[in-house]
Amino acid sequence: MRSTDQNFKELCYWCRIGDVENVDRLISTGVNLNDNDEFNNSPLFLASLCGHEDLVTLLLKRGAICDRDRHEGARCIYGALTDSIRNILLKYDISKAVDLKQPFAAHLSSQLNDRGIKSHDLILQDRAGQKVKLHRFLLLARSSHFASQLQSMGDDHIALDLPEDVPPVGLDVISKYLYLVPLLHGISRKDSLAVGRFCKLLGFDGLAEFLEKASDLQDQVEISKLMTEFQHRFTEEARKQMQEFAATVVREKRLVSVTNGIPLDVLHSMKVGPTMPDVFLFVRKRESSEEGFIYPCHRSILTRSEYFKVMFASSFDETTLYRQTQEGILDRTVNFPVVSFPICDCQTAELILSYLYYDRTDIPWQSAINVLRASDALLIDRLKTMTAVAITQSSEFLEMHTVFDVLDVAWEFRLERLEHHVAKTIADNIPFYVTQPSMREAILRSSSMLQTREETDTIELVDDIRYYLLKKYNIDVEDLDEINWDENDGEESITRKDIFTYKSDFQRLENLLQDMNVNV
């Protein structure tokens, strides 16, 4: 199938270039990795053909298919630029190409059986006495059937019964489907009919449709292809549901004062509200302010941040209000703790929550610096990288901030991508930047970052600018050895013009370094 989706076209472009961060950003929008472009090329084929090993690995982990028994897979393996890429493709089992196209899906899957922070607060059980521990907020978000039941129950109820006609296999199917654990390989033809019936009852229409279509197929390759298509659909369905749920979390925020403590009746009313939280996130309106907003959140989602994961797994004071019932799940009759957000900015907090709940990675450039600061404090490295991508792709950012502001951000948050973006921007307009006092300051600061400076040391910023000057004029280092640095001998080839224009820009940078008495 050939895709006309603009995000897919952009994805194919970055696969040719080899930009891992931009590909990861676009994958998080839900683009189908197994579509083909107008030339019948898949993203995986383009990445392997162009020799981008890290990108090939990322695409495979996110769900790209390379089945050697199908034309697309064989073509991908045959066209691989290097033997190492070919070996990666050959070793990758098609059964691994599952539903984990997005990191948030992988996180949800891990939460089904993760007992590390003891955040399960509901037992789902069938008539045979089988039980599984779940998170009620996920049933609220992903099943209208279960949501209506939970909303009619009291907050102190810890168990939910499945309908009588759900077969024994149903408990496993439901829990895996809710948590995006790949399950299609594990449903036998024998169980398909019964599973399909209760899926329609619970509103899992996509799963019921897959089972109906798969029942008509005999070829295993076609069945595997159908599995891949539907696992992608399941992920996107869940992502949209979690997006709507995250919007409810934001809508349910309350303005409170903490001067005398947050009133318990406020916390209780939020606890039994539409998101049924198990933790509250407090965001101050400004530094030293006693006022702020509290958001009704969920520990198993906040633990996508390593900061919160450590907090909830420890014996910090914030976690002492948690108590387990005899069944080993969260006791919802006690009060829940309030944890603080590290930045006094609700807009930033809500952007972070949207990332944690449904993997939003399109960060508005106006909020980029605050999101970087919060991501750094919360130890969310991937979001830092995605925010850096947003900065590099925004022309408006450099209209509001200088390139040296961006460099300060790059150094503060250890973002190599932004450092390269700054160096390229400077190289593209070297006559202007060498006249700026901030350029001198940046070079000196880059120089001071060397722990020990020897005569042969280079300054990283200068080195990067020199590199992008070569790229600007499409000159290889080898070309420089053949340059006659005397006057132009009259040849008018484009290459020679580029070389001498490069020389002029290069010399401007050298003159600045000499004027600063910096030997690089």
Side-chain angles (χ1 to χ4, degrees):
M1 180 175 68
R2 296 182 181 180
S3 176
T4 58
D5 179 69
Q6 190 58 41
N7 279 348
F8 181 80
K9 291 180 179 179
E10 188 181 346
L11 175 73
C12 290
Y13 170 77
W14 292 121
C15 284
R16 293 187 185 94
I17 299 299
D19 193 318
V20 174
E21 287 82 9
N22 263 312
V23 169
D24 194 15
R25 172 181 63 85
L26 286 163
I27 290 173
S28 72
T29 67
V31 63
N32 190 345
L33 296 184
N34 294 299
D35 276 349
N36 293 325
D37 65 11
E38 58 184 316
F39 305 107
N40 208 33
N41 297 324
S42 69
L44 184 61
F45 173 77
L46 294 170
S48 60
L49 181 70
C50 296
H52 305 306
E53 186 172 325
D54 291 345
L55 190 50
V56 168
T57 301
L58 174 72
L59 289 168
L60 289 169
K61 286 182 177 179
R62 295 286 190 267
I65 290 294
C66 182
D67 182 0
R68 72 187 75 180
D69 294 327
R70 289 160 54 194
H71 171 72
E72 294 90 340
R75 180 168 172 258
C76 196
I77 293 169
Y78 179 78
L81 183 66
T82 65
D83 287 339
S84 60
I85 291 178
R86 189 172 295 108
N87 290 335
I88 291 172
L89 295 169
L90 287 170
K91 290 178 181 178
Y92 205 86
D93 187 348
I94 187 173
S95 66
K96 294 179 182 176
V98 294
D99 185 23
L100 307 185
K101 295 180 177 65
Q102 299 188 41
F104 100 98
H107 180 76
L108 277 189
S109 297
S110 72
Q111 293 303 292
L112 178 58
N113 296 309
D114 182 11
R115 307 292 184 236
I117 60 169
K118 301 176 181 177
S119 59
H120 300 86
D121 59 356
L122 185 72
I123 292 174
L124 186 62
Q125 57 192 11
D126 62 17
R127 297 301 179 181
Q130 297 183 97
K131 299 179 181 180
V132 61
K133 298 175 184 177
L134 304 175
H135 298 87
R136 68 178 66 205
F137 84 88
L138 200 55
L139 275 72
L140 286 170
R142 301 220 51 215
S143 170
S144 57
H145 173 84
F146 288 128
S148 63
Q149 283 190 289
L150 288 170
Q151 287 162 355
S152 65
M153 294 167 50
D155 191 50
D156 56 343
H157 279 68
I158 62 171
L160 192 62
D161 294 324
L162 285 176
E164 291 186 9
D165 56 349
V166 174
V169 70
L171 200 62
D172 183 61
V173 169
I174 291 170
S175 58
K176 286 182 177 179
Y177 184 81
L178 289 171
Y179 285 82
L180 292 177
V181 176
L183 77 159
L184 298 182
H185 290 83
I187 301 177
S188 67
R189 286 185 177 271
K190 177 183 176 182
D191 292 328
S192 289
L193 185 61
V195 170
R197 279 198 300 267
F198 77 76
C199 282
K200 290 180 180 178
L201 174 67
L202 300 180
F204 300 161
D205 295 335
L207 182 53
E209 183 184 351
F210 165 79
L211 294 170
E212 184 177 342
K213 288 187 175 182
S215 66
D216 295 330
L217 299 176
Q218 298 297 326
D219 182 73
Q220 188 57 48
V221 171
E222 289 301 313
I223 293 175
S224 294
K225 184 177 180 180
L226 191 68
M227 287 180 180
T228 301
E229 176 190 339
F230 271 83
Q231 289 283 188
H232 174 76
R233 286 174 56 176
F234 297 166
T235 300
E236 285 314 294
E237 177 188 41
R239 187 170 181 268
K240 290 176 182 176
Q241 291 167 337
M242 293 298 289
Q243 182 175 359
E244 293 172 2
F245 190 77
T248 304
V249 169
V250 171
R251 281 197 305 269
E252 289 295 308
K253 68 185 178 186
R254 303 281 183 88
L255 178 63
V256 297
S257 172
V258 295
T259 303
N260 299 313
I262 301 173
L264 291 181
D265 61 330
V266 172
L267 296 180
H268 178 73
S269 65
M270 295 181 74
K271 190 170 68 172
V272 297
T275 68
M276 296 189 176
D278 61 20
V279 69
F280 298 101
L281 183 68
F282 177 65
V283 184
R284 292 183 186 275
K285 293 179 71 173
R286 54 189 173 274
E287 291 287 347
S288 73
S289 172
E290 294 299 303
E291 279 194 329
F293 288 92
I294 52 173
Y295 294 78
C297 296
H298 306 88
R299 285 193 295 167
S300 64
I301 293 296
L302 296 188
T303 54
R304 287 193 67 192
S305 154
E306 193 66 26
Y307 172 88
F308 285 123
K309 186 175 182 178
V310 171
M311 176 186 292
F312 296 141
S314 73
S315 57
F316 288 177
D317 289 342
E318 290 92 335
T319 65
T320 56
L321 290 177
Y322 288 115
R323 189 174 68 198
Q324 298 291 303
T325 67
Q326 188 174 357
E327 292 81 3
I329 63 172
L330 185 67
D331 186 351
R332 295 184 59 83
T333 63
V334 300
N335 293 321
F336 297 142
V338 179
V339 297
S340 295
F341 191 73
I343 301 294
C344 299
D345 178 15
C346 285
Q347 184 182 34
T348 300
E350 290 168 15
L351 284 168
I352 295 288
L353 287 175
S354 68
Y355 170 80
L356 297 176
Y357 274 90
Y358 64 92
D359 213 41
R360 176 183 176 179
T361 57
D362 56 320
I363 305 300
W365 65 267
Q366 300 93 330
S367 305
I369 292 179
N370 278 345
V371 172
L372 278 175
R373 186 165 288 112
S375 301
D376 190 63
L378 294 172
L379 306 177
I380 312 175
D381 288 339
R382 179 170 176 264
L383 186 56
K384 283 172 59 177
T385 301
M386 295 297 101
T387 307
V389 170
I391 292 174
T392 63
Q393 293 187 336
S394 170
S395 58
E396 294 96 334
F397 193 90
L398 284 180
E399 292 174 4
M400 299 297 296
H401 303 273
T402 72
V403 71
F404 302 105
D405 292 334
V406 178
L407 187 59
D408 288 340
V409 170
W411 283 336
E412 179 181 356
F413 299 112
R414 305 170 302 283
L415 290 165
E416 186 177 353
R417 184 186 186 93
L418 284 187
E419 292 183 52
H420 283 277
H421 178 63
V422 168
K424 182 179 184 303
T425 301
I426 292 173
D428 286 343
N429 194 5
I430 197 74
F432 169 75
Y433 284 110
V434 294
T435 66
Q436 302 301 301
S438 296
M439 179 75 166
R440 294 170 177 257
E441 296 170 10
I443 290 173
L444 291 175
R445 185 175 173 191
S446 183
S447 174
S448 69
M449 290 179 181
L450 294 170
Q451 291 183 347
T452 56
R453 178 146 165 73
E454 303 291 345
E455 286 297 321
T456 55
D457 282 333
T458 60
I459 298 174
E460 190 170 6
L461 175 60
V462 174
D463 235 13
D464 289 343
I465 295 171
R466 286 170 172 168
Y467 169 77
Y468 283 107
L469 280 174
L470 290 169
K471 297 283 286 184
K472 175 181 177 181
Y473 296 105
N474 198 26
I475 297 173
D476 292 329
V477 176
E478 292 78 8
D479 293 335
L480 298 178
D481 297 332
E482 302 175 5
I483 295 177
N484 176 6
W485 290 100
D486 296 326
E487 291 298 321
N488 192 329
D489 62 3
E491 293 184 18
E492 296 296 331
S493 70
I494 295 176
T495 300
R496 192 168 189 83
K497 284 182 179 179
D498 286 345
I499 288 175
F500 278 90
T501 309
Y502 162 79
K503 173 189 173 183
S504 177
D505 280 355
F506 180 88
Q507 197 59 52
R508 285 187 172 95
L509 180 60
E510 295 305 298
N511 290 344
L512 174 62
L513 296 173
Q514 290 173 17
D515 186 55
M516 294 174 62
N517 197 26
V518 174
N519 183 21
V520 186

